[in-house]
Amino acid sequence: MHPFDQAIALQAGADDSFTGHTSEAYRNMIGPFGGITAAVLLNAALQHPKCLGEPTAMTINFAGPVPDGPFRIQARPVRTNRSTQHWQIEQWVDDPESGQPIIATTASLVTAVRRPTWSATDVPAPVQGGPDPAQEPIVVTSFTPWLSQYALVPLQGPLPTEWDGSENSDSLTSFWVRKSTPRALDFCALVAVCDVFYPRIWRRRARQVPAGTVSMTVYFHADAQTLAHSGEGYVLAQATGQEFRNNFADQSGHIWNSAGQLLASTHQIAYYKE
């Protein structure tokens, strides 16, 4: 089984519940990589027997760290209309101190049956066609384990080489990215890659300050057929910060496939410490 599929694997239980286990392959500095947590929660809804349609919008709130070990997910469709469905999803873990169950992550999700209509984009891909075959992808095997699960070809705004506090004029970053062990793109993989960007404040200030995502929203523009056509290849990821103020900073990002189709847009807010 692919490491990603192992990480998001769930066992269905009673009363809209699922159980899973954290993955060492997707471990971050504290707990799992946020993108894999988002993928696990989305996977619970997609596996639910009452799921209607495909993901359209998802907001994930990271309430606290997820300790290594088992967890439980409660995924409930709270309202179903003719073409849309609204979900509440919770991830429960055992508190390392008290041993009592506590919520680590919450999410809201909208799924929908989407129908063909006139379509256009106001956010064209800055480049298309995938990376130059002569460019060797970067696989980071140090720092945190989850980074080694992705292969990147940088285009703009690389990670600073000197953490000297010298401010950059912007925090824009773009790169081609795919799984280091190729895997076909689907909704769970797409929501995970929306969190693949390193903290924008690191780029903006060239200071490796403690930082972490508090809340992330993803809007899915692709349907399952578009994702299937994207295959195992690279997607283009681009993100930029917008405001850095009083320990919190937000960022906006976009994900395109190599054909230039916008697959998802994402927005998040993260805390940082000086």
Side-chain angles (χ1 to χ4, degrees), residues 4-205:
F4 184 82
D5 295 299
Q6 289 180 330
I8 67 171
L10 295 169
Q11 181 69 39
D15 301 324
D16 303 323
S17 69
F18 298 83
T19 55
H21 197 284
T22 58
S23 167
E24 179 60 31
Y26 281 89
R27 200 175 195 288
N28 203 351
M29 291 178 287
I30 300 176
F33 161 52
I36 204 67
T37 298
V40 167
L41 270 62
L42 177 59
N43 196 31
L46 296 181
Q47 287 192 19
H48 198 290
K50 294 181 180 179
C51 184
L52 173 72
E54 298 176 342
T56 300
M58 185 177 189
T59 296
I60 309 98
N61 298 312
F62 301 93
V66 179
D68 293 336
F71 55 79
R72 181 174 64 86
I73 294 176
Q74 195 84 11
R76 298 182 298 112
V78 295
R79 177 161 178 167
T80 301
N81 303 316
R82 286 197 303 174
S83 59
T84 62
Q85 191 172 52
H86 301 259
W87 294 79
Q88 293 293 332
I89 310 171
E90 300 170 344
Q91 183 182 36
W92 291 79
V93 299
D94 289 338
D95 186 344
E97 295 183 5
S98 68
Q100 297 298 310
I102 56 172
I103 289 179
T105 317
T106 65
S108 62
L109 169 70
V110 178
T111 58
V113 177
R114 305 181 72 162
R115 297 173 175 84
T117 62
W118 174 86
S119 302
T121 184
D122 279 350
V123 190
V127 292
Q128 295 183 26
D132 185 336
Q135 290 180 279
E136 285 291 328
I138 298 171
V139 178
V140 180
T141 56
S142 59
F143 196 58
T144 59
W146 76 266
L147 285 169
S148 67
Q149 298 299 320
Y150 290 95
L152 297 89
V153 178
L155 295 175
Q156 186 176 358
L159 194 69
T161 56
E162 298 290 337
W163 301 103
D164 56 7
S166 58
E167 291 195 13
N168 289 298
S169 60
D170 62 63
S171 61
L172 181 66
T173 290
S174 60
F175 49 80
W176 292 103
V177 59
R178 64 165 173 80
K179 288 283 192 294
S180 53
T181 301
R183 178 190 181 277
L185 191 65
D186 58 17
F187 290 110
C188 289
L190 180 57
V191 77
V193 82
C194 284
D195 195 37
V196 77
F197 308 97
Y198 65 86
R200 295 297 82 205
I201 194 168
W202 291 9
R203 167 67 186 168
R204 190 71 164 79
R205 297 200 64 198

